[in-house]
Amino acid sequence: MAVREEILTDVESELRLKDFRVSEEDDLKLEGSADWAITKRTLQGGPSANIDVVTMDNGILSVEIFPTRGMGLWKGTFRGKNLGWQSPVRFPVHPSLVNLADQRGTGWLTGFNEWMCRCGLESIGPASSLFSEDGVSTERPSTLHGRIANLPAYFVSTKVDTADKGRLTVRGIVEEAALFGGCLRLDNSLHTTAGSNSLEISDKITNCSDMPAEVQLLYHINFGPPLLGDGSRIFAAIEQLAPYDELSGKSSREWDICGRPTPGFVQQCYLVKPLVDSQGLATILFCNPAGDFAVQIAFDSKQLPCWTLWKNFAGERDGYVIGIEPGTSYPNPKPLERQLGRVPQLGPGESLQTSVQLSFFDDTKSIAAIVASIAQQQAGHDPRIHQTLQPVFSFS
């Protein structure tokens, strides 16, 4: 059998498997690793009760996926090294317990502990109240980073393809819909291959309404120790970088350097326009202080033209973390992003496709080669590092 597919959840058919496992033990031999497996379990007790977790393990890279929380990634490991971070929100929180409108529209934070979660799909960025543009059109109120991360998938499936280099796939479909509010459908596939150091996140967002719709999407990808530490570095070829706020502007020159956990640290945020290669690909490398463990994040700048850097070097128990966040726009109020032409428009039935690839390295030779490649790309292009707010990037 070259391909094996299984449906784990299908609301339309009233199907939901409580537990599931597929591996080489099922006579599916994959080139690259004999230790691969895809499993499903359901968390029990406390705020995590009834959260489904699908684990995709290719033998050296393992990721835990949250169908119950918008197909986000809870955590992972690469050759035994932890990926993700430790949020003050210690346990996964079921969406039914997250009131997005709480705390002046910042209730999203009460459920936030994922390694990767999506922001969107109708809006990203800060909570906002009603907004009048030219005294004519009025924005609906929005909450911090939107709804998609707190909506469960209504369809989840797995696929093992022995003929395609041992390709493993977990797919989930989530709809963000409301009466008088349209319907945006996220069709997500997570891909890896047996024995690979890479994970591909592939999304298709479709406007399922009979009316035009706007869409915003930001991948909130977060790292703590062991990748993050005092002296961790970010390597990226950039055209421009601007602070999100005045406080961040004071440290713009040190945007690529990470500090130690510091209780009372006030978060910093930077908005980046990347330099891209001949295929339009943007590449970011985040490396630990020793230079022997790194993640490379690559994405198509035509799909995701913006990336945001978030630093929260608070105490370890208060969420010591850095976020590298490719997006369709920056996390500013939506009216500003619309004004600057950074909010994609979808007609009825139209779709937006995006993808992000995460690759992990734990050898100095590979890491040094990527750093050299990024330096070569930056050569001849002096980056413009702003220390003050810039109207083309953020509100002033």
Side-chain angles (χ1 to χ4, degrees), residues 156-177:
V156 182
S157 67
T158 67
K159 182 178 179 181
V160 180
D161 191 341
T162 61
D164 188 9
K165 300 179 182 179
R167 189 172 175 85
L168 308 176
T169 301
V170 175
R171 180 187 178 205
I173 306 177
V174 190
E175 286 189 358
E176 182 178 305

Short mmCIF file of all heavy atoms in Angstrom, two decimals, residues 156-177:
data_model
loop_
_atom_site.label_atom_id
_atom_site.label_comp_id
_atom_site.label_asym_id
_atom_site.label_seq_id
_atom_site.Cartn_x
_atom_site.Cartn_y
_atom_site.Cartn_z
N VAL A 156 -10.38 16.49 10.53
CA VAL A 156 -8.96 16.21 10.76
C VAL A 156 -8.65 14.86 10.13
O VAL A 156 -9.40 13.89 10.31
CB VAL A 156 -8.61 16.16 12.27
CG1 VAL A 156 -7.11 15.92 12.46
CG2 VAL A 156 -9.04 17.44 12.97
N SER A 157 -7.54 14.78 9.40
CA SER A 157 -7.15 13.52 8.78
C SER A 157 -5.63 13.38 8.79
O SER A 157 -4.89 14.35 9.00
CB SER A 157 -7.68 13.42 7.35
OG SER A 157 -7.03 14.38 6.52
N THR A 158 -5.18 12.16 8.56
CA THR A 158 -3.75 11.88 8.43
C THR A 158 -3.50 11.16 7.11
O THR A 158 -4.40 10.50 6.56
CB THR A 158 -3.23 11.00 9.58
OG1 THR A 158 -3.81 9.69 9.47
CG2 THR A 158 -3.58 11.59 10.93
N LYS A 159 -2.27 11.30 6.63
CA LYS A 159 -1.89 10.64 5.38
C LYS A 159 -0.44 10.20 5.47
O LYS A 159 0.42 10.97 5.88
CB LYS A 159 -2.10 11.58 4.19
CG LYS A 159 -1.77 10.98 2.83
CD LYS A 159 -2.06 12.00 1.74
CE LYS A 159 -1.72 11.46 0.35
NZ LYS A 159 -1.97 12.48 -0.70
N VAL A 160 -0.18 8.96 5.10
CA VAL A 160 1.17 8.42 5.02
C VAL A 160 1.39 7.95 3.59
O VAL A 160 0.62 7.13 3.08
CB VAL A 160 1.37 7.24 5.99
CG1 VAL A 160 2.79 6.69 5.88
CG2 VAL A 160 1.06 7.66 7.42
N ASP A 161 2.42 8.52 2.94
CA ASP A 161 2.71 8.19 1.54
C ASP A 161 4.08 7.53 1.47
O ASP A 161 5.11 8.21 1.55
CB ASP A 161 2.67 9.46 0.68
CG ASP A 161 2.70 9.15 -0.81
OD1 ASP A 161 3.12 8.03 -1.18
OD2 ASP A 161 2.32 10.03 -1.61
N THR A 162 4.11 6.23 1.34
CA THR A 162 5.38 5.51 1.30
C THR A 162 6.15 5.76 0.01
O THR A 162 7.36 5.58 -0.04
CB THR A 162 5.14 4.00 1.46
OG1 THR A 162 4.34 3.53 0.36
CG2 THR A 162 4.44 3.70 2.77
N ALA A 163 5.46 6.17 -1.04
CA ALA A 163 6.11 6.39 -2.33
C ALA A 163 6.74 7.77 -2.45
O ALA A 163 7.63 7.99 -3.26
CB ALA A 163 5.11 6.19 -3.47
N ASP A 164 6.27 8.72 -1.67
CA ASP A 164 6.75 10.11 -1.75
C ASP A 164 7.74 10.39 -0.62
O ASP A 164 7.48 11.21 0.27
CB ASP A 164 5.56 11.07 -1.69
CG ASP A 164 5.97 12.52 -1.96
OD1 ASP A 164 7.13 12.76 -2.37
OD2 ASP A 164 5.13 13.41 -1.76
N LYS A 165 8.88 9.71 -0.62
CA LYS A 165 9.97 9.92 0.35
C LYS A 165 9.50 9.74 1.80
O LYS A 165 10.03 10.34 2.72
CB LYS A 165 10.59 11.31 0.18
CG LYS A 165 11.19 11.55 -1.19
CD LYS A 165 11.77 12.94 -1.29
CE LYS A 165 12.33 13.18 -2.68
NZ LYS A 165 12.89 14.56 -2.82
N GLY A 166 8.47 8.95 2.00
CA GLY A 166 7.97 8.75 3.36
C GLY A 166 7.29 9.98 3.90
O GLY A 166 7.51 10.38 5.05
N ARG A 167 6.44 10.59 3.11
CA ARG A 167 5.79 11.86 3.48
C ARG A 167 4.66 11.62 4.47
O ARG A 167 3.77 10.79 4.25
CB ARG A 167 5.26 12.55 2.22
CG ARG A 167 4.74 13.97 2.43
CD ARG A 167 4.45 14.57 1.06
NE ARG A 167 3.85 15.88 1.09
CZ ARG A 167 4.53 17.02 1.19
NH1 ARG A 167 5.84 17.00 1.31
NH2 ARG A 167 3.91 18.18 1.16
N LEU A 168 4.68 12.38 5.59
CA LEU A 168 3.65 12.33 6.61
C LEU A 168 2.87 13.64 6.58
O LEU A 168 3.46 14.72 6.50
CB LEU A 168 4.27 12.14 8.00
CG LEU A 168 5.25 10.98 8.18
CD1 LEU A 168 5.84 11.01 9.58
CD2 LEU A 168 4.57 9.65 7.91
N THR A 169 1.55 13.54 6.68
CA THR A 169 0.70 14.74 6.61
C THR A 169 -0.40 14.65 7.66
O THR A 169 -1.03 13.60 7.84
CB THR A 169 0.05 14.89 5.22
OG1 THR A 169 1.07 14.99 4.22
CG2 THR A 169 -0.84 16.12 5.16
N VAL A 170 -0.62 15.77 8.35
CA VAL A 170 -1.81 15.94 9.18
C VAL A 170 -2.56 17.14 8.63
O VAL A 170 -1.98 18.22 8.45
CB VAL A 170 -1.46 16.15 10.66
CG1 VAL A 170 -2.72 16.46 11.47
CG2 VAL A 170 -0.76 14.93 11.23
N ARG A 171 -3.84 16.95 8.34
CA ARG A 171 -4.66 18.01 7.74
C ARG A 171 -5.81 18.35 8.66
O ARG A 171 -6.40 17.47 9.30
CB ARG A 171 -5.21 17.55 6.39
CG ARG A 171 -6.09 18.57 5.68
CD ARG A 171 -6.72 17.96 4.45
NE ARG A 171 -7.62 18.90 3.78
CZ ARG A 171 -8.63 18.54 3.00
NH1 ARG A 171 -8.88 17.25 2.78
NH2 ARG A 171 -9.40 19.45 2.44
N GLY A 172 -6.15 19.64 8.75
CA GLY A 172 -7.29 20.07 9.53
C GLY A 172 -8.00 21.23 8.86
O GLY A 172 -7.35 22.06 8.20
N ILE A 173 -9.31 21.28 8.99
CA ILE A 173 -10.10 22.37 8.39
C ILE A 173 -10.87 23.07 9.50
O ILE A 173 -11.56 22.44 10.31
CB ILE A 173 -11.08 21.84 7.32
CG1 ILE A 173 -10.33 21.01 6.27
CG2 ILE A 173 -11.80 23.01 6.65
CD1 ILE A 173 -11.24 20.39 5.22
N VAL A 174 -10.74 24.40 9.54
CA VAL A 174 -11.38 25.24 10.56
C VAL A 174 -12.16 26.33 9.85
O VAL A 174 -11.68 26.90 8.86
CB VAL A 174 -10.32 25.88 11.48
CG1 VAL A 174 -10.99 26.56 12.68
CG2 VAL A 174 -9.29 24.87 11.95
N GLU A 175 -13.33 26.66 10.34
CA GLU A 175 -14.10 27.78 9.77
C GLU A 175 -14.31 28.86 10.80
O GLU A 175 -14.69 28.59 11.94
CB GLU A 175 -15.45 27.29 9.23
CG GLU A 175 -15.33 26.52 7.94
CD GLU A 175 -16.66 26.22 7.28
OE1 GLU A 175 -17.72 26.58 7.86
OE2 GLU A 175 -16.65 25.61 6.19
N GLU A 176 -14.04 30.09 10.38
CA GLU A 176 -14.30 31.28 11.20
C GLU A 176 -15.50 31.98 10.58
O GLU A 176 -15.39 32.61 9.51
CB GLU A 176 -13.07 32.20 11.19
CG GLU A 176 -13.21 33.43 12.05
CD GLU A 176 -11.94 34.27 12.04
OE1 GLU A 176 -10.86 33.73 12.35
OE2 GLU A 176 -12.03 35.47 11.71
N ALA A 177 -16.66 31.85 11.22
CA ALA A 177 -17.90 32.30 10.59
C ALA A 177 -18.82 32.96 11.60
O ALA A 177 -18.74 32.69 12.81
CB ALA A 177 -18.62 31.12 9.94
#
